[in-house]
Amino acid sequence: MTRKRSAPGDDLLSKLIEITDAADPRPPEAVLVPITQGLMHAGPETTSSVIGKLVPVLLDDRSRWQRLLDDRSPIRPAVEELLRFDVNRGPGMPRYLTDDIELDGEVLPKDSITVSVVASANRDERMFPHPDHLDLTRTPNRHLAFGAGAHSCIGQALARTELHVALDILLDRLPDLALAVPPSELARRAGVLTDTFEQVPAVW
């Protein structure tokens, strides 16, 4: 942040500093730094991690990859289904309740902490028939991989586009792509939002 402030460039962080430094009152650095960290994590890290997660799921069953090679039209619903199926496997998001909330006939008391587990919601059989089955043509698909309402990801349109383009390019350039190790040997990376893999060894 200090470097960008002293030598700004034509980039997002420099523009963010310019806008916030001109604000009245100016936000403290303790606010600006977490915003910057969020941009760096929620932007490139999550998208690259998700690409590294979705491709192994497709390659785990060769017929899935072949289906998209034969017909690209299901790429958009396929990406949505892959997002539903495996993108948020973490322990969930803690939320502090400032008021009593009634949920499904039960009152959750004020000052409680709840945990919203997106992975569980995305496998809810009341919303998704056969939720443990990966259906690349599933529609509608109201998954919560990007959150919902006021807490939905503001970058989801860009993320979806990046995933569509990345998958389309991989299918074009590496039609013979295959995992170099059994899926069971892919190790998950701890401590990141998307629960991605450490490595995805591949051959083509």
Side-chain angles (χ1 to χ4, degrees), residues 55-75:
V55 171
V57 173
L58 283 174
L59 296 176
D60 183 26
D61 180 342
R62 190 70 197 179
S63 66
R64 299 169 182 163
W65 186 258
Q66 189 61 48
R67 181 170 188 177
L68 294 177
L69 280 173
D70 295 340
D71 179 11
R72 302 298 175 82
S73 62
I75 278 185

Side-chain angles (χ1 to χ4, degrees), residues 17-201:
I17 292 169
E18 176 188 338
I19 292 170
T20 53
D21 282 358
D24 184 19
R26 173 183 164 186
E29 202 81 347
V31 171
L32 189 57
V33 170
I35 292 173
T36 304
Q37 290 173 329
L39 287 170
M40 294 175 69
H41 176 75
E45 194 281 328
T46 51
T47 303
S48 61
S49 294
V50 170
I51 292 169
K53 285 184 66 175
L54 304 193
V55 171
V57 173
L58 283 174
L59 296 176
D60 183 26
D61 180 342
R62 190 70 197 179
S63 66
R64 299 169 182 163
W65 186 258
Q66 189 61 48
R67 181 170 188 177
L68 294 177
L69 280 173
D70 295 340
D71 179 11
R72 302 298 175 82
S73 62
I75 278 185
R76 289 183 181 276
V79 165
E80 296 303 316
E81 177 68 347
L82 289 162
L83 287 167
R84 178 196 74 83
F85 194 73
D86 193 34
V87 80
N88 295 105
R89 292 166 46 108
M93 297 173 286
R95 292 292 182 262
Y96 177 79
L97 302 184
T98 57
D99 295 295
D100 291 346
I101 295 178
E102 184 174 343
L103 183 65
D104 200 25
E106 182 176 348
V107 175
L108 306 179
K110 176 183 176 180
D111 298 327
S112 298
I113 294 178
T114 64
V115 177
S116 302
V117 184
V118 172
S120 178
N122 281 345
R123 297 292 182 99
D124 188 340
E125 63 276 2
R126 295 168 296 180
M127 179 63 69
F128 305 102
H130 310 293
D132 295 328
H133 171 67
L134 184 71
D135 179 0
L136 298 182
T137 60
R138 187 187 297 271
T139 52
N141 194 338
R142 298 178 61 193
H143 64 77
L144 297 177
F146 291 114
H151 298 284
S152 61
C153 172
I154 62 172
Q156 60 183 287
L158 175 61
R160 283 184 164 99
T161 300
E162 289 173 331
L163 294 172
H164 298 155
V165 171
L167 183 53
D168 201 27
I169 289 173
L170 284 171
L171 289 162
D172 267 341
R173 297 186 181 179
L174 301 174
D176 297 326
L177 188 66
L179 292 176
V181 298
S184 60
E185 294 184 14
L186 296 176
R188 298 275 179 175
R189 181 184 300 166
V192 293
L193 181 65
T194 52
D195 185 37
T196 189
F197 296 114
E198 287 285 355
Q199 297 180 2
V200 182

